[in-house]
Amino acid sequence: MARYNPDLMQLDDGATGAPRVVSPSTYTTPITQEELNTENAKFDPATGMPLEYLTSDIPEIRQSFTMPGFTPGPYPEEFDKFFGPADPNMLGYKIVTNSDGSQQLEVQTGPGSTSTFGAPIKVNANGTVSQFVKAANTATNTATATGLSTETNASIKSLQDQIAALTKQLTANTTATQTAAQYNERMGVYASMADRFNKYGLTGLANKIKELAIKGATESTITLELMDTPEYQQRFAANADRLKKNLAVLTPAEYVNIEDSYRQVLRAYGLKQFDNDAYVRQFIANDMSPTELSNRVVTAVQRVQNADPALINQLKQYYGISSPDMVAYVLDPQQQFQKIERQIAASEIGVAAGRQGLTAGVSVAEQLAAQGVSEAEARKGYATIADILPTAEKLSGVYGGTMDTYGQSEGEQEVFNSLASAQRKRQRLSAAETATFGASAGMNRVSLTSAKAPGQF
């Protein structure tokens, strides 16, 4: 038996002459044995598949491991009569044509492992499979053709088979390494996306994210796919309401950030009854900014919830708002905040009038509120009106038949709006009293300057 010298690519068969060189070497070991052992430890020794892949419960990943040149899936039934039924877990197959015209079936059993069936076959043009029969006298004996002995040719064939097997193993290892790297990259996308959606409260979408990531979907593609799931649509339900109102849809990050802002405001003022998904959805659906919500909360707590009971009664009298619903009314995004502020200001003016024994109608109170009369100015103004009104009304009763009368309405016009016509009415009544009794009228001694507020009635 000839011995092969791998360094010189020569056959040393004990001949006395110079060694015969068979062919130049075409194989070079790319990695050391230690490196190869380390790399192989990442794969199942029986199948050559990544250990992480073997624990996967997602069947769609298997096709992604089909090697180039292989057709995915088990081989067709036409091959069953020669090789038996195909393994349903087979990753792929291909037909290998030999030098003598025969063909063989090679199957892929793992990401980097294959197996070739030994029986020679012939796949006909019509797709049928038959046993290969070698034509007689079509080939010349290898030993005769080469002029080498049968033993030498057998050694050459053995050497060629070893080189082919080693090359095939290295190719399989390279393919498996590349496949493992691709798998790790996709699992990285899964981990990143799963962590993000866990923070959104959507842990139930983890399997869906994993399935899409393993198929090779990008993060943007995965997000678009998830938007169609019931879980996503329920979590970000206010976006559907915004669409109906022609408002821009919020991204998950924007949605969660504005939710957190709302809840911080509500919790800061102890309004836990409004710190729930239903109210937060209303705020988002109506595009209420966190700043506006903060202003509403301050109004609800400081001017309503903690207000004098008289204000609560006045709000109910003017607008029919009962005490338990007042904070909810202020926070209701369907109600314009400017209108709510005007209603509260009008009620405060109504309370100021009531404390002086006067009654301010809702239209007058709203007018004064609209022109900027504050609660403090209302208290001071109605105190002045209450001081001059008794005498003015008495004189109006005396001289009403011959001149204009002066009542609460005129007092409000004069005090809050510096209306000259109202002032002249009071002055004429005072002058009539002076002319009749020869004394200065009490009304003339009342100074209205300090009670006047800017604005137009």
Side-chain angles (χ1 to χ4, degrees):
M1 172 67 70
R3 295 187 300 279
Y4 169 61
N5 186 328
D7 295 324
L8 300 177
M9 289 295 292
Q10 297 175 339
L11 291 174
D12 185 0
D13 54 4
T16 57
R20 292 188 295 276
V21 178
V22 176
S23 63
S25 174
T26 57
Y27 168 71
T28 347
T29 303
I31 56 176
T32 66
Q33 187 62 44
E34 181 180 358
E35 292 172 333
L36 184 60
N37 291 341
T38 301
E39 189 64 28
N40 285 341
K42 301 177 181 179
F43 304 92
D44 179 57
T47 63
M49 297 175 69
L51 294 177
E52 187 174 9
Y53 159 78
L54 293 175
T55 63
S56 173
D57 57 355
I58 299 176
E60 288 81 355
I61 189 178
R62 302 184 70 86
Q63 287 193 356
S64 68
F65 283 85
T66 302
M67 294 170 58
F70 282 78
T71 301
Y75 53 72
E77 294 180 356
E78 286 80 1
F79 295 92
D80 290 359
K81 61 183 178 181
F82 296 99
F83 310 112
D87 184 347
N89 293 322
M90 182 187 301
L91 293 183
Y93 72 95
K94 71 175 180 178
I95 304 301
V96 179
T97 301
N98 301 317
S99 59
D100 60 356
S102 66
Q103 295 174 307
Q104 290 178 285
L105 182 65
E106 185 176 358
V107 299
Q108 183 184 353
T109 57
S113 59
T114 63
S115 177
T116 303
F117 288 93
I121 57 172
K122 186 68 176 180
V123 180
N124 303 309
N126 60 3
T128 60
V129 183
S130 60
Q131 182 72 36
F132 174 76
V133 178
K134 185 175 181 180
N137 301 321
T138 57
T140 305
N141 182 275
T142 304
T144 303
T146 60
L148 301 176
S149 67
T150 302
E151 183 180 7
T152 300
N153 279 298
S155 298
I156 294 173
K157 181 64 168 64
S158 175
L159 176 60
Q160 290 172 337
D161 289 345
Q162 292 177 41
I163 293 174
L166 188 55
T167 302
K168 183 177 179 180
Q169 181 61 45
L170 288 171
T171 302
N173 288 342
T174 301
T175 302
T177 301
Q178 292 172 344
T179 304
Q182 181 186 62
Y183 179 74
N184 290 336
E185 179 182 352
R186 293 177 179 182
M187 291 303 292
V189 172
Y190 157 68
S192 173
M193 294 289 290
D195 178 66
R196 186 182 312 160
F197 277 82
N198 284 347
K199 293 176 181 178
Y200 299 156
L202 290 171
T203 56
L205 292 178
N207 288 336
K208 181 71 173 177
I209 295 172
K210 188 175 184 180
E211 176 185 349
L212 293 170
I214 288 179
K215 287 181 178 179
T218 63
E219 292 195 9
S220 58
T221 302
I222 292 174
T223 301
L224 288 174
E225 289 277 354
L226 297 180
M227 289 174 66
D228 290 332
T229 63
E231 296 91 337
Y232 184 100
Q233 293 175 1
Q234 177 61 33
R235 174 63 182 85
F236 303 110
N239 272 336
D241 301 327
R242 291 175 66 87
L243 275 176
K244 294 175 183 178
K245 298 178 181 181
N246 295 321
L247 296 172
V249 171
L250 301 179
T251 66
E254 291 170 337
Y255 198 106
V256 171
N257 286 339
I258 199 169
E259 273 185 334
D260 291 342
S261 298
Y262 291 151
R263 295 183 186 278
Q264 288 174 7
V265 171
L266 294 169
R267 291 168 187 171
Y269 285 87
L271 299 178
K272 296 181 180 179
Q273 68 273 33
F274 301 102
D275 182 11
N276 56 63
D277 293 340
Y279 266 97
V280 168
R281 175 177 176 176
Q282 288 186 57
F283 299 151
I284 295 177
N286 287 276
D287 206 28
M288 182 186 294
S289 69
T291 300
E292 180 182 339
L293 178 62
S294 179
N295 292 336
R296 285 178 181 253
V297 168
V298 170
T299 299
V301 173
Q302 295 182 357
R303 295 182 64 183
V304 176
Q305 183 172 273
N306 300 332
D308 190 312
L311 176 62
I312 306 299
N313 293 333
Q314 195 67 56
L315 279 166
K316 184 175 182 180
Q317 179 182 338
Y318 277 175
Y319 306 107
I321 308 171
S322 58
S323 179
D325 302 327
M326 286 186 179
V327 174
Y329 178 76
V330 176
L331 297 183
D332 184 359
Q334 299 291 344
Q335 302 292 336
Q336 291 185 353
F337 186 48
Q338 292 82 356
K339 181 188 74 172
I340 293 172
E341 287 188 306
R342 187 174 65 252
Q343 290 175 337
I344 294 174
S347 298
E348 290 171 340
I349 291 171
V351 170
R355 294 192 186 285
Q356 301 299 328
L358 304 174
T359 301
V362 64
S363 60
V364 172
E366 285 189 346
Q367 254 184 322
L368 293 175
Q371 66 189 51
V373 175
S374 67
E375 181 182 9
E377 290 170 339
R379 287 197 303 268
K380 187 174 182 179
Y382 276 108
T384 300
I385 294 172
D387 187 36
I388 66 174
L389 199 57
T391 302
E393 288 180 333
K394 179 180 178 181
L395 293 178
S396 294
V398 174
Y399 302 105
T402 58
M403 60 183 62
D404 294 331
T405 60
Y406 188 99
Q408 180 177 329
S409 176
E410 286 73 21
E412 290 166 339
Q413 292 172 346
E414 181 178 2
V415 171
F416 293 114
N417 296 286
S418 302
L419 197 64
S421 59
Q423 185 181 32
R424 285 195 296 270
K425 289 180 184 180
R426 181 176 57 81
Q427 289 173 342
R428 283 196 291 267
L429 288 172
S430 179
E433 181 189 26
T434 301
T436 301
F437 297 100
S440 298
M443 282 195 302
N444 284 340
R445 293 194 298 269
V446 177
S447 173
L448 303 178
T449 303
S450 60
K452 294 176 183 177
Q456 189 68 32
F457 195 83

